[in-house]
Amino acid sequence: MKNVTFFKYQGTGNDFVMIDNRTEFFPKRNVELIEKLCNRRFGIGGDGLILLENDPTADFKMVYYNADGNESTMCGNGGRCIVSFAHFLEIFSKDTTFNAIDGLHHATINEEGIVALQMIDVAKDTIKKDTDFTFLFTGSPHHVAMVSDITNYNVFEKGKNIRYSDEYKPSGTNVNFVEQLSNDSFKIRTYERGVENETLSCGTGATAVAITMNNLGKTVANKISIQVEGGDVQVSFDQNEEKYYNVMLTGAAKQVFKGEISIE
Ligand SMILES: N[C@@H](CCC[C@H](N)C(=O)O)C(=O)O
């Protein structure tokens, strides 16, 4: 048995077990262990687990696992949380660049702990528009559909059906449902692949929704407020004919607690 120090972080209610793995002690391929640590009854609990590691080309590296124990694509809220964690570990003071599965990310943190995280560019010709949904990749895959009465919408059932539909086999997708609140604000709810449930917030999902709403002409704004179940985030971007770039996801990221757990 080995005692492992961990931290718990949350970004608008998307919560993560955070481990400093700069000494590379963590058994990264142990899917069962990661799933157990993320389990809310048998472990610490979280929508995912994140390792902070050394990186030869950046301040640090983020390795992200979904609650099912598998390493996955980019996590926007996890990205904001690991920036807060790296700041806590005094790896940087005001701005940083880190490596993640989708490449380098630049980020800043202010005195209130608000993190602004640069997300990947999105080429306009990769945005797939269908009659009632849009599909795009913002570091993770996202299906975006507009609905009415989102508060009472059955996100779990509808999201699960789309996530497992033939269209998205074999890897699946995250599924976002959206309702417009004003010219430049939207409320969203997200079913997350790998958590296999609705989460309180999804950063790559909020980014996908903001870009989609602009791309569909629902808003002309380039700074969009996204209300998620766990709070609010902002997404801003620039665009030209080819792509959305300088895409920034901004919101709070907080350390919730520190603990120690024994692993085999
Ligand atoms: N919560 C995340 C998304 C995490 C990855 C996703 N579940 C997937 O496997 O595609 C976010 O904040 O972006």
Side-chain angles (χ1 to χ4, degrees), residues 11 14-16 47 64-68 70-80 119 137-142 163 171-174 190-196 199 201-207 249:
N14 205 188
D15 62 337
F16 309 99
D47 293 326
Y64 173 76
Y65 302 85
N66 276 321
D68 67 3
N70 294 303
E71 190 175 350
S72 195
T73 46
M74 181 58 183
C75 177
N77 289 329
R80 292 191 300 107
M119 307 296 284
F137 189 84
T138 54
S140 279
H142 285 279
R163 181 258 189 265
S171 43
T173 185
N174 299 287
T190 306
Y191 177 97
E192 265 194 58
R193 170 182 82 158
V195 181
E196 303 315 334
T199 56
S201 177
C202 177
T204 48
T207 306
L249 169 70

Side-chain angles (χ1 to χ4, degrees), residues 10-219:
Q10 63 89 6
T12 44
N14 205 188
D15 62 337
F16 309 99
V17 176
M18 193 75 74
I19 294 173
D20 178 357
N21 194 36
R22 285 177 292 177
T23 56
E24 297 184 18
F25 73 94
F26 190 81
K28 295 167 74 161
R29 277 165 203 87
N30 192 338
V31 176
E32 231 173 73
L33 169 69
I34 298 168
E35 188 182 14
K36 196 170 167 194
L37 293 176
C38 290
N39 190 292
R40 298 186 189 279
R41 293 196 174 84
F42 294 99
I44 303 158
D47 293 326
L49 179 142
I50 300 172
L51 301 177
L52 183 145
E53 298 191 338
N54 288 318
D55 187 273
T57 60
D59 289 344
F60 60 93
K61 180 161 94 178
M62 164 180 173
V63 185
Y64 173 76
Y65 302 85
N66 276 321
D68 67 3
N70 294 303
E71 190 175 350
S72 195
T73 46
M74 181 58 183
C75 177
N77 289 329
R80 292 191 300 107
C81 287
I82 203 170
V83 167
S84 179
F85 186 45
H87 183 254
F88 167 79
L89 294 174
E90 298 183 346
I91 292 175
F92 74 96
S93 78
K94 278 202 173 112
D95 70 301
T96 184
T97 300
F98 68 95
N99 223 336
I101 195 153
D102 60 346
L104 290 174
H105 289 261
H106 185 256
T108 56
I109 186 164
N110 72 12
E111 276 154 22
E112 284 84 48
I114 305 291
V115 176
L117 171 68
Q118 182 162 22
M119 307 296 284
I120 58 163
D121 294 352
V122 177
K124 289 187 175 173
D125 63 5
T126 63
I127 301 176
K128 188 178 151 206
K129 292 190 239 185
D130 214 308
T131 344
D132 6 282
F133 71 90
T134 300
F135 177 78
L136 68 167
F137 189 84
T138 54
S140 279
H142 285 279
H143 174 109
V144 177
M146 295 200 77
V147 297
S148 46
D149 193 16
I150 194 167
T151 308
N152 295 307
Y153 200 76
N154 193 338
V155 171
F156 178 72
E157 286 303 329
K158 305 264 188 194
K160 190 172 158 198
N161 287 341
I162 295 167
R163 181 258 189 265
Y164 284 106
S165 63
D166 288 344
E167 172 116 25
Y168 294 117
K169 278 185 179 148
S171 43
T173 185
N174 299 287
V175 185
N176 306 272
F177 300 103
V178 197
E179 190 166 76
Q180 186 152 14
L181 299 176
S182 74
N183 284 343
D184 59 356
S185 67
F186 297 85
K187 178 174 163 113
I188 77 168
R189 291 176 63 194
T190 306
Y191 177 97
E192 265 194 58
R193 170 182 82 158
V195 181
E196 303 315 334
N197 211 337
E198 180 179 4
T199 56
L200 295 184
S201 177
C202 177
T204 48
T207 306
V209 167
I211 288 174
T212 299
M213 293 301 109
N214 178 279
N215 199 254
L216 294 179
K218 301 285 175 197
T219 178

